[in-house]
Amino acid sequence: MNTVFLLIVFLPLAGAIIAGIFGTAVFRYVGNAAPSQDHGEGHHHDHDGPRWPALLTSGLLVVAALLSWYAFFDVAVAGNTYKAVYVANWINSGGLAADWSLRVDTLTVVMLVVVNTVSSLVHIYSIGYMSHDPHQPRFFSYLSLFTFAMLMLVTSDNLLQMFFGWEGVGLASYLLIGFWYKRPSANAAAIKAFVVNRVGDFGFALGIFATYKVFGSIEFDTIFNAAPEQAGKTMDFLGYQVDIMTTICLLLFMGAMGKSAQFILHTWLPDAMEGPTPVSALIHAATMVTAGVFLVARMSPFFEISQDAALVVTLIGAVTAFFAATVGLVQNDIKRVVAYSTCSQLGYMFAALGVGAYGVGIFHLFTHAFFKALLFLGSGSVIHAMSDEQDMRNMGGLYPHLKKTWAMMLIGTLALTGFPFTAGYFSKDAIIEATYAAHTGMGQFAFVLLVTAAFMTSFYSWRLMFMTFHGRPRASKEVMSHVHESPNVMLVPLYILALGALVAGFAFKEYFVGHDEALFWGTSLYRSPDNTIVQDLHHVPAWVIWSPFVAMVLGFALSWLFYIRSPELPSRLATRHEPLYKFLLNKWYFDEIYDFFLVNPAKWLGRFLWKKGDGWLIDGFGPDGVSARVIDVTNRIVKLQTGYVYHYAFAMLIGVAALVTYYMFAGAH
């Protein structure tokens, strides 16, 4: 079985290395790589890249995905337990020891299934989607590297190994968001994702340092066993006495906020749309953004001890779910709508983790991966058909031309809005019930925000469907003449994801959130004895159970009224409430506020230090100042060295005359 886990983790790395090194090198050697402008989504080039890196990396990932499902049924469903799989001796320095080993438990295998299933389907889809891109080896190498980094993160047995995977997905996302590096917008988005994540990662790193300082170890088993002893104790931090566990949890959660794009650190996520569409699907469904949720779930023994940190997680989660849903209402770019929906759904997961329903949060992560990847790849299929058009205002009437894509997007939309018996219905409703069952002020607050967000989610999801596929066509005749259904290599992954979006909730709900869920999770998630939230959520009042369904129906009805029945209503409403519309359209002005307070001052400081500090002061008085004057003087003195004897004789005579004159006058005094 150890071999299975090693294969699951290292097959994507092997694919990344082979495709990256040999694909690009052979490609150059064959002379295939003509210099090309990277225009963007699916543009046709005269020189297509070589096919084998795409096929190789996809094949290896399919094997990894099948092995992941085997491991899932072996470990999580059949209940077999394994010790951590030792890979290598990694770091031994003083008291710090961190071996490289793979932690095998239910939480790990659930994440392996999510990451490898979605990633393998994204790889296959990309074979069709990127078929005309001349840089395919680079693309598939990055994609597999991204998957490997995420696998490192979810199999980590200590905080340092997790940090390695954590930074790995950060690097890979930077490379993939900025894949078309000749587009300034892609470069800007990649840098933004990288920088915003550095802010969160700074908190995560401090959390790891604090953990090591307090526990003398960063191995999970050691710190989890020692955690209860630190309950209620304080330590000195920046001159203040702070609660140890709360401080560590909040620092770790800061890292999760950056990676999982939670409120305040969310600004990078919508801009990540600049990468190719398959990248968006991978970032939003399986890797990167789920890392923060995984971190909080993995550290459940810490968060169970600190009620204050748990309250913060609930608050940030609920606010993010609400905030992102409000912004999603008015976005016009098809991928941005789905991106804000990701942001919102991550908020749901954190709200569940905050009230102690860790399994429920991971259940939503599991189901969400299927329908969110489905929606992104479906959007990619639409963009592919519409000659790279992403603005929904230029779509409409596509249903007759794209019936298969429409059907797949419909399934994704039903699952996202929580239509009864789809995957989203079981996990999302369980979260809403859990927040109510928490019976705390913060829980009630989260409950209200999440139900409101469910209404808005339904509205903007159906708005996307209606604006894209129904009504009259708003694209030019020329574009409409080229509209075509995607090839099978892009449609088959959609069918598989659609199957997951339909049955993943029903098939696994008993394991994840049923009455025997404690057996299923085993020791991978920790809940203190007085945390009975999962039992309580099965006994909430009927109106609580019905509220998300009612919210979903109302959202659908309003969307139908606005975009099918009376399509002139939205613009009238937007004109009448212009300030509110602008506020939402500009994403609550977060980017503008950050630019004003952080980005522009930093740029001004940089420019000042460059022009005044470096240019005027250092260069002015250094190489351009004193040094230059010394050179001027020496150059003039050098001119005296002519090589003519009579010049030197003349100079000596002047010297003798000067000396004689001096002594005559000095002697006279």
Side-chain angles (χ1 to χ4, degrees), residues 60 88 172 184 344 347 381 453 462 568:
L60 290 175
S344 185
S381 181
W462 288 108
E568 74 287 346

Side-chain angles (χ1 to χ4, degrees), residues 621-638:
F621 287 95
D624 299 342
V626 178
S627 313
R629 297 295 76 77
V630 169
I631 289 168
D632 289 347
V633 172
T634 51
N635 281 342
R636 289 198 179 116
I637 290 171
V638 164

Side-chain angles (χ1 to χ4, degrees), residues 482-502:
H482 293 303
V483 171
H484 58 285
E485 189 58 89
S486 296
N488 276 334
V489 71
M490 288 166 66
L491 287 174
V492 170
L494 293 183
Y495 301 152
I496 298 171
L497 288 167
L499 180 69
L502 287 173

